[in-house]
Amino acid sequence: MSRPRAFDIDTVAEQAMLVFWKSGYAGASMADLYAATGLKPGSVYAAFGDKERLFQAAFQAYAAHFRATLPTETIGLAAIEAWIDLQADLSSQDPERKGCLIVNTVSERQAHTPETQAMAQARLDEIGAFFRIALDQAASGGELSATTDLDLWADSLTGAVVSIMTLGRAGAKERTIRNVAKATLAALPRA
């Protein structure tokens, strides 16, 4: 009979998430992960199997935090504006300039299994879906020009927010990050 775990899996995933988010998958050594989680190698491997599975658990923890940033109190253009402004804040105000773990994972795609790559792509698709829903709401509410190509704008807004997150990771000036957000919002084809 195996002994019960003396640690909480979700807590370990959160601790590992911070290491992966800051250092990236390739840059996060197992020694870093052991130090952050306080676990010995045998415990990590018994609970997760390998580094990739630990990363996937950490990525799922990040995805839950990420979803919590999506606006729920507003719809349409107000939701788009609120979320892009929030991403500009997060990208420029983080002293560690970690960026976004989703975008960071996509940029390290060659280091991951197809399963992890699919997880990251699904989160990018989730961003696009958020924008498409908000654009549909904006169009229905008469906030957008009647000729607005909603798919084009959903893709464009996704690209803009990925750019904002990448600029944050790259350590770009706050002014640059905020200008990208401002220009993106100004370009929306309002009615």
Side-chain angles (χ1 to χ4, degrees), residues 98-181:
K98 295 181 299 292
C100 168
L101 187 57
I102 297 165
V103 175
N104 300 350
T105 302
V106 170
S107 70
E108 276 192 309
R109 126 179 224 99
Q110 74 286 353
H112 293 287
T113 64
E115 182 183 356
T116 302
Q117 291 173 18
M119 289 171 66
Q121 184 59 53
R123 296 300 65 76
L124 284 179
D125 293 345
E126 192 174 351
I127 293 169
F130 161 75
F131 283 125
R132 180 54 202 246
I133 289 167
L135 288 163
D136 285 340
Q137 293 165 340
S140 296
E143 296 179 278
L144 295 175
S145 165
T147 59
T148 301
D149 182 334
L150 300 181
D151 288 331
L152 179 144
W153 275 98
D155 291 344
S156 179
L157 290 166
T158 301
V161 83
V162 166
S163 173
I164 288 166
M165 295 165 173
T166 303
L167 287 167
R169 176 80 170 177
K173 292 179 182 174
E174 181 177 357
R175 184 197 79 233
T176 301
I177 293 169
R178 294 204 184 275
N179 281 342
V180 170

Side-chain angles (χ1 to χ4, degrees), residues 80-98:
I80 292 169
E81 291 166 355
W83 200 60
I84 287 181
D85 285 342
L86 175 64
Q87 292 309 314
D89 289 344
L90 294 172
S91 294
S92 62
Q93 300 301 313
D94 178 7
E96 295 181 290
R97 293 301 188 105
K98 295 181 299 292

Side-chain angles (χ1 to χ4, degrees), residues 19 28 42 62 64 67 69 78 82 85 87-88:
V19 174
Y62 180 85
R67 283 185 199 102
T69 70
D85 285 342
Q87 292 309 314

